[in-house]
Amino acid sequence: MILPIVAYGDPVLRKKCMEIPKGYPKLEELLEGMWETMYNAKGVGLAAPQVGVPLRLFLVDTTPFADDEELSADEKNQLDGFKKVFINATIEEEGGEEWTFNEGCLSIPDVREDVKRKDTVTISYVDENFKTHKETFDGLIARVVQHEYDHIEGILFTDKLSPLKKRMLKGRLNNISKGKIHVDYRMRFPNMKKGR
Ligand SMILES: [Zn+2]
């Protein structure tokens, strides 16, 4: 089932999310809905708070990034089919040089801004079978993991912009929270006036 994606301004996007206990009853159903919702919106990642569920869970599938002509064959191979569920994740370490990438977010449609992040991330998490993993990622995979991880900590990429950029974006972000935006996937807007 395609779930409505929660728009900028909803308090659920600001929650530090809770751990998911083993045997959580609706996990399978939630995962299914989140994958369908992410693919429908042409995203490469989706976090549970973005569908209104404040749990430490996010999905990543970087396959669409593999089409980028500027990438090397190696990079394309890494991105193609990188599909994972991250539950109860903790970032252990970030390292390498900071680099800039033009990020977007399904909860903040039509806004894209350059964001600086470190190149590598080491993260521990459990998968959908509650098997424990600790892995290090770099490049675009690290970038998507860092962006999604921020969501389960209540952080959005727009928080990382300069004060000037934030001021410039304020009006657009306000309009998004009111639903004054064209978007071709299902969304839920926190400040939309009722009865329209
Ligand atoms: Zn996002």
Side-chain angles (χ1 to χ4, degrees):
M1 190 175 67
I2 293 171
L3 307 163
I5 294 179
V6 169
Y8 182 94
D10 193 303
V12 75
L13 294 176
R14 292 309 189 178
K15 289 216 163 108
K16 188 171 159 74
C17 295
M18 304 275 286
E19 292 222 341
I20 304 179
K22 197 173 178 176
Y24 180 74
K26 285 180 180 164
L27 184 59
E28 206 171 314
E29 193 185 322
L30 177 61
L31 284 173
E32 221 168 275
M34 283 178 65
W35 283 122
E36 199 182 343
T37 301
M38 186 186 88
Y39 290 129
N40 176 65
K42 299 183 171 60
V44 293
L46 185 71
Q50 292 183 279
V51 294
V53 180
L55 291 174
R56 297 184 79 78
L57 159 64
F58 59 89
L59 317 173
V60 173
D61 184 346
T62 58
T63 303
F65 279 164
D67 288 336
D68 189 337
E69 287 309 312
E70 286 179 18
L71 298 173
S72 69
D74 258 11
E75 286 172 310
K76 285 185 185 185
N77 275 338
Q78 261 187 13
L79 293 165
D80 190 23
F82 181 92
K83 178 177 173 178
K84 274 187 204 293
V85 173
F86 295 82
I87 294 171
N88 299 343
T90 307
I91 286 187
E92 305 284 351
E93 204 180 344
E94 289 180 294
E97 292 281 301
E98 280 196 333
W99 66 293
T100 299
F101 183 73
N102 197 245
E103 293 190 23
C105 180
L106 294 177
S107 294
I108 315 174
D110 287 347
V111 173
R112 299 200 69 92
E113 294 292 342
D114 284 349
V115 179
K116 268 189 195 168
R117 297 186 193 267
K118 289 199 168 153
D119 184 54
T120 66
V121 61
T122 301
I123 189 166
S124 56
Y125 64 97
V126 298
D127 60 23
E128 59 270 50
N129 302 311
F130 279 79
K131 188 172 180 282
T132 305
H133 301 267
K134 184 174 170 183
E135 289 171 307
T136 300
F137 304 112
D138 63 6
L140 277 170
I141 290 176
R143 173 68 59 158
V144 179
V145 166
Q146 288 160 324
H147 176 114
E148 297 309 325
Y149 182 84
D150 273 352
H151 275 300
I152 63 169
E153 292 286 316
I155 298 166
L156 301 170
F157 82 91
T158 46
D159 300 346
K160 300 185 176 283
L161 305 175
S162 70
L164 176 66
K165 267 272 155 61
K166 281 183 192 158
R167 270 207 303 284
M168 284 165 59
L169 274 177
K170 211 173 172 192
R172 287 175 71 193
L173 294 176
N174 254 328
N175 282 342
I176 291 172
S177 73
K178 290 177 188 157
K180 290 183 185 169
I181 186 159
H182 172 78
V183 62
D184 54 13
Y185 47 85
R186 216 177 143 201
M187 287 195 87
R188 189 177 93 197
F189 303 97
N191 299 329
M192 192 180 233
K193 285 210 182 84
K194 300 269 161 20
R196 282 203 310 184

